[in-house]
Amino acid sequence: VKFQAETMMETFPAAGPVKTEIIGKETSQKKEAATRVQDDMNYQLTDVMVEYRPEHERMLWGLGLAGNAFKKVYYDPSLGRQVSMYVPAEDVVVPYGASSLEVAGRVTHVMRKTPNEMAKLQAAEFYRDVELQDPVNSLDEIEKAIAEKMGFRASTDDRYKLLEMQVDLVLPDDKFTKDESKDEIAVPYIVTIEKGTSTILAIRRNWNPDDKLKRKRNHFVHYAYIPGFGFYAFGLIHLIGAFAKSSTSLIRQLVDAGTLSNLPGGFKTKGLRVKGDDTPIAPAEWRDVDVASGTMRDNIMPLPYKEPSQVLYSLLNTIVEEGRRFAGAADMKISDMSANAPVGTTLAILERTLKTMSAVQARIHYSMKQEFKLLKVIIRDYTP
């Protein structure tokens, strides 16, 4: 929660997140142009693109947990403007061997569409007007687990599952060769298929018409929390998930031990009769007992339930403290510092403590820069 709140205030101030930079010699014309671009971009992000801030907040929440989050930047003809939507990490499939989205051989966006949405897109000629069968229930294990955690039924899904893939293909109508004697070179396309029946819904070129090199146009921005060994990054689930799982197990053991200790069970002889023995004894309640022989103590033997273990409690505190210390690496209690420490020493310690979170936020600033570059092109091409 702290990461999401701090990073949101850091990356999205009230005036807007965009700041322009002049490369090269500064002139009055460049300064005026930079001011116009900055003001217009911030106006677009804060006033026109009403979904941007909520989507950015959702993205930061998913980023801290999963370690990966994606933004899809595109022009929406139904809205008549550019949009930037948050896409969860499980809906963007990239080969593990890829180093980035720009060089990945295949980037697949998994989408869900209702039959009515599909009919609208086909009527608008965004997809081919082909006959589609009823949606096939094809929830994978991740989707089922997420649905169960959020309280949804994971048994049925009446939506179509679409795969929108950015791939390099060699098609008959678009041969791209540097020399007639050389082999054909695959060029970037966007292919959309319906997963249930593998029906091709659309094939579109994915390069700028005036680009002679036919380089791939990227529509996704990858946000990373802590870089990993491959394409995907690590999040708090990976970094402190083991701490959370262990501490949850210990808490359950301690609660169970306390419950069994307060409401113990055991054995009693057949001859011992307790009126209303089907219900537990309430506080300050006395019940009649028919003792077969001897004392009542001789006819009852409680099972040896132990009190909650102090060893488990100490272990729980240790695990929780280690996990909190690891996750809150950017936190520091000012009370732990000496009140007589010089100002320079205090600032140096604070700067060192904040380096971990500063590094994470620097990665987010880098990704936002790539996102603003994609938005800039769409605003330039589609805005009067």
Side-chain angles (χ1 to χ4, degrees):
V1 171
K2 273 195 282 188
F3 161 74
Q4 195 265 0
E6 292 176 2
T7 309
M8 187 65 200
M9 299 306 297
E10 168 73 18
T11 59
F12 205 100
V18 175
K19 294 181 181 178
T20 51
E21 179 185 8
I22 297 176
I23 305 299
K25 183 179 179 180
E26 291 189 4
T27 62
S28 58
Q29 290 84 0
K30 286 184 179 180
K31 288 182 179 179
E32 292 173 0
T35 302
R36 288 195 300 270
V37 170
Q38 177 175 316
D39 292 344
D40 185 65
M41 285 285 288
N42 284 324
Y43 165 71
Q44 295 283 341
L45 292 171
T46 56
D47 292 333
V48 178
M49 300 170 62
V50 292
E51 80 286 343
Y52 186 84
R53 184 183 176 97
E55 292 293 313
H56 193 68
E57 294 207 35
R58 291 178 57 214
M59 183 276 297
L60 291 177
W61 182 259
L63 173 63
L65 282 177
N68 300 272
F70 297 87
K71 286 281 198 72
K72 187 177 184 181
V73 180
Y74 59 97
Y75 179 81
D76 190 335
S78 62
L79 296 176
R81 60 172 174 83
Q82 70 285 345
V83 294
S84 179
M85 304 299 291
Y86 161 61
V87 181
E90 62 269 16
D91 289 341
V92 178
V93 185
V94 180
Y96 283 104
S99 58
S100 65
L101 286 171
E102 289 73 22
V103 299
R106 179 190 297 267
V107 178
T108 302
H109 180 200
V110 182
M111 300 183 295
R112 294 278 182 177
K113 300 287 186 184
T114 64
N116 188 49
E117 290 175 328
M118 291 297 299
K120 286 182 179 179
L121 291 170
Q122 288 179 325
E125 297 184 350
F126 188 79
Y127 291 143
R128 292 171 59 217
D129 188 11
V130 293
E131 189 72 25
L132 293 175
Q133 300 178 5
D134 292 336
V136 179
N137 184 22
S138 59
L139 291 174
D140 55 33
E141 296 302 320
I142 295 179
E143 291 172 322
K144 290 179 181 178
I146 292 176
E148 291 173 0
K149 293 293 183 185
M150 297 183 68
F152 302 137
R153 279 201 317 167
S155 58
T156 58
D157 194 341
D158 57 351
R159 296 175 297 172
Y160 289 102
K161 189 172 187 178
L162 307 185
L163 303 181
E164 185 182 87
M165 297 173 286
Q166 299 181 15
V167 292
D168 292 333
L169 298 175
V170 177
L171 296 184
D173 296 336
D174 287 296
K175 295 181 179 180
F176 176 49
T177 57
K178 292 184 179 180
D179 194 321
E180 291 299 331
S181 61
K182 293 184 179 180
D183 295 334
E184 297 176 346
I185 298 176
V187 291
Y189 286 90
I190 295 180
V191 181
T192 305
I193 68 171
E194 197 274 314
K195 188 175 186 300
T197 58
S198 298
T199 303
I200 296 178
L201 299 176
I203 300 178
R204 287 184 170 84
R205 300 179 180 90
N206 194 27
W207 69 85
N208 289 318
D210 55 351
D211 186 2
K212 295 181 179 180
L213 297 177
K214 298 190 177 181
R215 288 167 295 192
K216 179 178 74 172
R217 292 182 60 191
N218 192 28
H219 305 277
F220 290 93
V221 179
H222 183 199
Y223 285 83
Y225 189 75
I226 300 294
F229 299 107
F231 174 82
Y232 291 101
F234 294 128
L236 292 176
I237 286 177
H238 311 94
L239 301 178
I240 62 171
F243 291 102
K245 194 173 183 180
S246 301
S247 60
T248 301
S249 176
L250 291 176
I251 288 175
R252 287 174 176 169
Q253 293 181 49
L254 292 171
V255 171
D256 290 344
T259 302
L260 294 173
S261 178
N262 291 329
L263 298 171
F267 303 102
K268 67 182 181 67
T269 59
K270 279 188 176 182
L272 181 68
R273 293 288 182 266
V274 182
K275 293 184 179 180
D277 57 356
D278 293 336
T279 59
I281 298 177
E285 179 186 2
W286 297 85
R287 292 189 182 178
D288 297 331
V289 178
D290 296 329
V291 181
S293 63
T295 62
M296 196 171 90
R297 183 182 304 170
D298 297 332
N299 290 270
I300 294 178
M301 187 188 77
L303 291 175
Y305 292 118
K306 294 183 179 180
E307 294 281 341
S309 171
Q310 289 297 321
V311 176
L312 285 182
Y313 183 70
S314 300
L315 179 60
L316 171 65
N317 287 336
T318 302
I319 290 177
V320 171
E321 188 60 32
E322 285 295 315
R324 181 181 291 122
R325 187 170 61 87
F326 186 85
D331 295 336
M332 183 176 183
K333 296 179 181 178
I334 304 299
S335 59
D336 294 342
M337 299 170 55
S338 174
N340 299 323
V343 176
T345 304
T346 304
L347 293 176
I349 294 176
L350 287 173
E351 183 180 355
R352 180 180 178 85
T353 307
L354 295 172
K355 275 189 175 180
T356 305
M357 187 52 62
S358 298
V360 175
Q361 292 179 350
R363 283 188 283 272
I364 295 174
H365 278 295
Y366 172 80
S367 298
M368 288 187 75
K369 182 178 181 180
Q370 311 308 314
E371 181 182 356
F372 294 156
K373 285 184 176 180
L374 297 179
L375 286 171
K376 173 206 66 174
V377 174
I378 299 177
I379 293 174
R380 180 196 65 196
D381 294 342
Y382 289 93
T383 303

